[in-house]
Amino acid sequence: MSEVLPLRAGLRVAIMSDETGWHTRQLLRALRERGCAGRCIDLAQCRIATPHAWHGLVLPGFGESLPDAVIVRGIAGGSFEQVTKRLGILHALREFGVPVYNDARAIERSVDKSMTSLLLHAAGVPTPPTWAMESAAAAQQLVTRESAAGRSLVLKPLFGSQGQGLQRIGWVDGAHVPLPPLEGPYGSLAYLQRFVAAPAHDYRVLVVGGTAVAAMRRVSEDWVHNVARGARCEPQSLSAGIGPELARLAEAASRALDMDYAGVDLLPAADGPQVIEVNGVAAWQGLQRVTPFNIAQALVRDLLDRKCPASALRRQA
């Protein structure tokens, strides 16, 4: 095994995103501060063309070469075939030795809520009881059984984000609410999670390189606490009160999904916090407002100082 070369200045980093805005500007600035050149690329514009170069990929702005590293900021929705191709590009980059932050495997685990729930459960991370099934009849039987026990469930789109499409069903406010039709945003699949009665807030914890580095409370009168739905962001310490427990669970959730960085959502419950979701392309604009350090700089630092040298070591082995 040869010695790892020092990480050189002037790395070219692709930021994979289907839109540019505040987050990409933050990342581009953080990369420039480290002497790196960032370029935003939409995965929809990337192609496979085997005659083009030895690697067979065409990435806008990179000619016949590959980027030195990739940050995944967003993947546009599309048909099953389109999304498969886009994720395939990320898989290929990793196979070719390019550090991808988070890589396609981690994104697949987190964007599929049923797989997230399964991996959290298998790792012993506290998470609400969860079901995913294609049979509407079986799902309705489950809803009826839970309702008869005085419990409600949350129906979620398997690939949804920002609190869109969430519905409470079962026993809700003293009445039975049946399973709605599963067409449309639910894709004819019932992904159901037992509702956790909680105060008017939940928690978002940011894990970077395996360590919880920042957190906030998302406060809202609605039972859905997403910032995109109008929740108010308040700072949350990770060193006092419930903070250490939040940090421990968020780090365990990130490990369970093998993620470079993650936005972990937790709900307070009677027997301790429960992990609800793990986000592999987490937004952090709301969290930044209550965090004293620059989050984009922390992400770039972890990529350049941990992920890139580790990838270089593997390539030289």
Side-chain angles (χ1 to χ4, degrees):
M1 180 184 299
S2 58
E3 183 179 358
V4 179
L5 298 176
L7 187 62
R8 66 188 186 277
L11 293 180
R12 299 188 304 159
V13 179
I15 301 173
M16 300 297 189
S17 179
D18 57 317
E19 59 183 18
T20 57
W22 184 87
H23 289 89
T24 53
R25 289 195 298 271
Q26 290 280 306
L27 290 169
L28 289 168
R29 184 179 301 116
L31 287 167
R32 286 196 301 269
E33 291 170 352
R34 289 294 301 265
C36 300
R39 183 181 182 91
C40 294
I41 300 176
D42 188 342
L43 275 166
Q45 303 304 315
C46 298
R47 307 193 306 276
I48 294 174
T50 55
H52 174 69
W54 69 265
H55 47 75
L57 297 178
V58 180
L59 308 182
F62 285 91
E64 295 184 2
S65 63
L66 294 174
D68 297 298
V70 170
I71 300 172
V72 181
R73 177 57 233 141
I75 303 174
S79 68
F80 178 78
E81 290 81 4
Q82 288 173 319
V83 173
T84 298
K85 189 274 298 184
R86 294 165 194 171
L87 289 170
I89 297 286
L90 297 180
H91 279 296
L93 287 165
R94 177 184 177 275
E95 293 300 317
F96 295 148
V98 177
V100 181
Y101 191 92
N102 282 305
D103 70 24
R105 300 171 305 167
I107 291 171
E108 288 167 346
R109 296 182 190 110
S110 62
V111 76
D112 175 354
K113 291 186 179 68
S114 64
M115 181 55 64
T116 298
S117 297
L118 191 65
L119 292 174
L120 292 175
H121 172 74
V125 179
T127 191
T130 303
W131 298 263
M133 59 191 76
E134 297 183 42
S135 168
Q140 187 61 71
Q141 289 176 357
L142 170 66
V143 173
T144 301
R145 186 168 66 247
E146 290 287 296
S147 183
R151 294 189 289 260
S152 63
L153 299 166
V154 180
L155 173 66
K156 302 181 180 182
L158 192 67
F159 303 122
S161 63
Q162 298 184 331
Q164 297 176 351
L166 272 60
Q167 294 190 48
R168 277 187 67 188
I169 57 178
W171 193 252
V172 181
D173 298 329
H176 175 72
V177 178
L179 182 77
L182 294 176
E183 292 76 21
Y186 306 107
S188 298
L189 180 107
Y191 171 76
L192 297 159
Q193 205 167 53
R194 187 173 288 166
F195 177 72
V196 177
H201 70 273
D202 69 359
Y203 302 99
R204 162 63 63 90
V205 180
L206 179 67
V207 179
V208 178
T211 301
V213 299
M216 66 177 173
R217 289 187 301 276
R218 300 185 298 190
V219 182
S220 172
E221 295 181 0
D222 191 6
W223 63 274
V224 181
H225 301 298
N226 294 78
V227 174
R229 296 276 294 267
R232 183 176 73 255
C233 302
E234 295 182 351
Q236 170 62 51
S237 170
L238 290 173
S239 61
I242 197 174
E245 179 70 359
L246 295 175
R248 182 184 70 82
L249 292 177
E251 290 168 359
S254 181
R255 283 195 304 274
L257 274 67
D258 194 17
M259 309 188 81
D260 292 313
Y261 77 101
V264 183
D265 296 340
L266 304 98
L267 272 174
D271 54 352
Q274 303 249 331
V275 175
I276 303 299
E277 292 184 11
V278 183
N279 301 276
V281 285
W284 67 87
Q285 191 168 10
L287 181 59
Q288 185 64 81
R289 293 197 293 266
V290 295
T291 300
F293 62 86
N294 186 281
I295 292 173
Q297 290 176 351
L299 295 171
V300 167
R301 181 168 57 249
D302 185 52
L303 168 66
L304 298 181
D305 296 349
R306 177 187 63 84
K307 183 91 172 179
C308 287
S311 295
L313 178 61
R314 287 193 295 269
R315 288 196 299 271
Q316 294 179 40

